[in-house]
Amino acid sequence: MFEDIASAIAQQDYTTATQLIDTLKQEHPDHPWLTFYTAQVEAAQGNLEGAKEIYQKLLQECSNRKLLLQIREALRQLETAESESQQSAIAQALAQPGGKDTAVFILSALPLEEKQQAAQTLAKTFSIDPYNARLQIPSRGWRLFRIGEKGALSYYSEALQKKNVPCFCVPLNALDRLNVLQVQYFRTQEDRVIARCVNAKGQEGTFEFQWSDIQQQVQGRVPIFEEIITKDKKGKPTSKRQTLDYVQFCDLHLFPEQTILRLCDQKYQFQQSAPLTDTIQKGETITRNWLQLLNYLEEKMPEIQRWGDFTPFGESAIAFSQTLQQITSHIDLKRRYETSWDAAFQLYSGLVFFKGESDLKQP
């Protein structure tokens, strides 16, 4: 009784096939062959994901040997079609201007109850183990998950977003357009703020703005390492690198000017920073002065969004040390040992900049 349905599908007459299926379902609502032909129509009309779900469910419930063989063959054909469609879409994305530029792929945090489904989707997309995929999804902040060509990573990002896996992709060369100024101190003049700065070329100058021009603030700290000598179990001296201290940073973002004003607790000239001179006392610790400065910024900009999850992001980013070496950190610290943490902070602040800028443009 199913010959007419099969014939209609073979002739690509899906309207007739659907009508015949609906008619027969009134008498045989749970017949496995009707379910199978329903999946065939879905696949033929482009709903590959829906067809796949029907086939997989039917595969678990069906005991008809002949039908099982056809279901498995249909699933194999769907997987082939999905793979070819994906490769074609990626090839088109790579062919676009900038498609082969190096980019970073970022995963955003998800609540614990949503991680399992997201991990399965992530594992399938990148052909990795579901357990490892689950470990990659952060509980807070962002994780640098992949480095690759922008076209391919953009494709994966869009595909995952459609399946409720929060992520995004940014080309590394986007960082080059940001003007990062190292702030020496602030002065105020009526409603204007004058920042004494040093630019990327080491040239000193001033940058004027209003507090209302600042859209975002990013805080983070990078470690300072020191080599120490310890003794192993046999009493033999051995060198070991450990964290000696941390340097604090605070970035202020101005979207229209494509500018980041970068403050550093080791570089900021607190005694020059009117009107903070009344609260910042000579001889006070840098820590206290830094907290006073942050409190002052919060008082002047109470409504802006503040980002402070750099550390977990940095821990994921330093695994990509070769890529981080390509990034100009715009951090000038006297270090005895080089580290990827400086570039990781520049990357994090840049990503926050682009994300905030993008969100602002959306209706």
Side-chain angles (χ1 to χ4, degrees):
M1 60 180 172
F2 304 116
E3 292 83 356
D4 291 341
I5 299 176
S7 176
I9 293 174
Q11 296 174 27
Q12 300 182 1
D13 185 358
Y14 305 121
T15 301
T16 299
T18 301
Q19 291 173 347
L20 292 171
I21 291 170
D22 290 343
T23 299
L24 288 174
K25 276 187 174 180
Q26 295 176 9
E27 298 179 20
H28 310 282
D30 299 319
H31 200 291
W33 279 101
L34 292 177
T35 304
F36 173 76
Y37 286 124
T38 298
Q40 281 203 321
V41 172
E42 291 292 326
Q45 293 181 327
N47 185 11
L48 302 185
E49 195 65 33
K52 193 171 185 178
E53 290 179 5
I54 296 172
Y55 284 136
Q56 289 174 336
K57 183 179 179 182
L58 189 57
L59 193 63
Q60 297 174 352
E61 300 171 349
C62 180
S63 58
N64 185 304
R65 184 179 179 86
K66 180 180 178 181
L67 181 55
L68 283 172
L69 290 173
Q70 293 202 39
I71 293 171
R72 292 192 179 99
E73 176 59 21
L75 281 170
R76 187 191 66 78
Q77 292 176 357
L78 274 184
E79 290 174 357
T80 299
E82 285 181 338
S83 178
E84 291 176 350
S85 176
Q86 175 179 302
Q87 293 305 313
S88 175
I90 291 175
Q92 292 179 19
L94 289 172
Q96 296 298 314
K100 294 188 177 182
D101 290 345
T102 301
V104 293
F105 184 91
I106 308 298
L107 290 172
S108 300
L110 275 176
L112 184 62
E113 62 272 14
E114 297 179 23
K115 277 193 173 184
Q116 183 173 355
Q117 182 60 46
Q120 292 176 353
T121 303
L122 184 67
K124 178 184 174 183
T125 302
F126 285 98
S127 300
I128 60 176
D129 178 76
Y131 176 76
N132 289 328
R134 184 183 177 90
L135 295 178
Q136 296 298 319
I137 300 174
S139 298
R140 67 184 181 97
W142 293 338
R143 176 184 292 275
L144 176 51
F145 176 61
R146 286 286 173 94
I147 305 286
E149 294 177 316
K150 177 179 176 290
L153 294 183
S154 295
Y155 169 83
Y156 292 130
S157 176
E158 292 176 8
L160 287 170
Q161 287 175 32
K162 290 177 181 177
K163 297 183 179 180
N164 300 315
V165 179
C167 58
F168 62 97
C169 168
V170 174
L172 274 183
N173 56 21
L175 295 171
D176 298 337
R177 76 169 190 255
L178 296 178
N179 179 32
V180 182
L181 300 176
Q182 315 289 333
V183 177
Q184 296 176 320
Y185 58 84
F186 288 133
R187 290 283 180 92
T188 57
Q189 188 175 28
E190 297 180 351
D191 62 341
R192 303 293 296 172
V193 184
I194 303 172
R196 186 68 181 178
C197 309
V198 178
N199 65 16
K201 296 180 179 180
Q203 300 167 331
E204 293 190 10
T206 58
F207 182 88
E208 295 190 18
F209 64 98
Q210 294 181 317
W211 292 119
S212 59
D213 296 333
I214 305 296
Q215 278 87 17
Q216 296 181 142
Q217 177 176 314
V218 179
Q219 289 177 232
R221 64 180 192 174
V222 299
I224 298 292
F225 297 102
E226 185 62 80
E227 199 91 5
I228 63 171
I229 304 299
T230 60
K231 292 184 178 181
D232 60 18
K233 294 180 180 179
K234 297 181 179 180
K236 184 179 179 180
T238 180
S239 62
K240 178 182 179 182
R241 189 172 298 181
Q242 70 174 21
T243 301
L244 178 67
D245 201 355
Y246 292 93
V247 178
Q248 303 286 341
F249 287 92
C250 176
D251 281 6
L252 306 178
H253 292 174
L254 298 93
F255 295 153
E257 295 82 1
Q258 296 290 285
T259 294
I260 294 177
L261 298 177
R262 176 158 296 164
L263 288 70
C264 172
D265 67 344
Q266 302 296 317
K267 298 286 187 177
Y268 194 82
Q269 299 174 17
F270 295 99
Q271 296 303 316
Q272 302 294 327
S273 186
L276 285 176
T277 48
D278 294 335
T279 57
I280 293 177
Q281 302 298 322
K282 188 174 182 180
E284 287 287 355
T285 64
I286 290 178
T287 300
R288 183 183 181 279
N289 287 342
W290 181 251
L291 290 176
Q292 290 279 6
L293 177 58
L294 294 181
N295 289 337
Y296 176 74
L297 294 177
E298 186 170 359
E299 177 186 326
K300 293 298 181 181
M301 304 175 293
E303 304 297 330
I304 67 169
Q305 186 172 7
R306 289 176 164 83
W307 296 72
D309 285 333
F310 165 63
T311 298
F313 173 83
E315 290 170 348
S316 70
I318 58 174
F320 300 89
S321 58
Q322 289 187 340
T323 299
L324 292 178
Q325 289 174 7
Q326 303 172 29
I327 297 174
T328 302
S329 68
H330 298 285
I331 290 177
D332 182 23
L333 296 175
K334 293 182 179 179
R335 290 184 175 276
R336 184 172 296 181
Y337 305 102
E338 292 298 322
T339 175
S340 298
W341 279 93
D342 295 353
F345 182 75
Q346 171 66 12
L347 175 60
Y348 178 72
S349 185
L351 292 173
V352 172
F353 190 104
F354 301 133
K355 192 71 168 62
E357 187 180 42
S358 174
D359 292 345
L360 191 65
K361 292 177 180 178
Q362 293 179 1

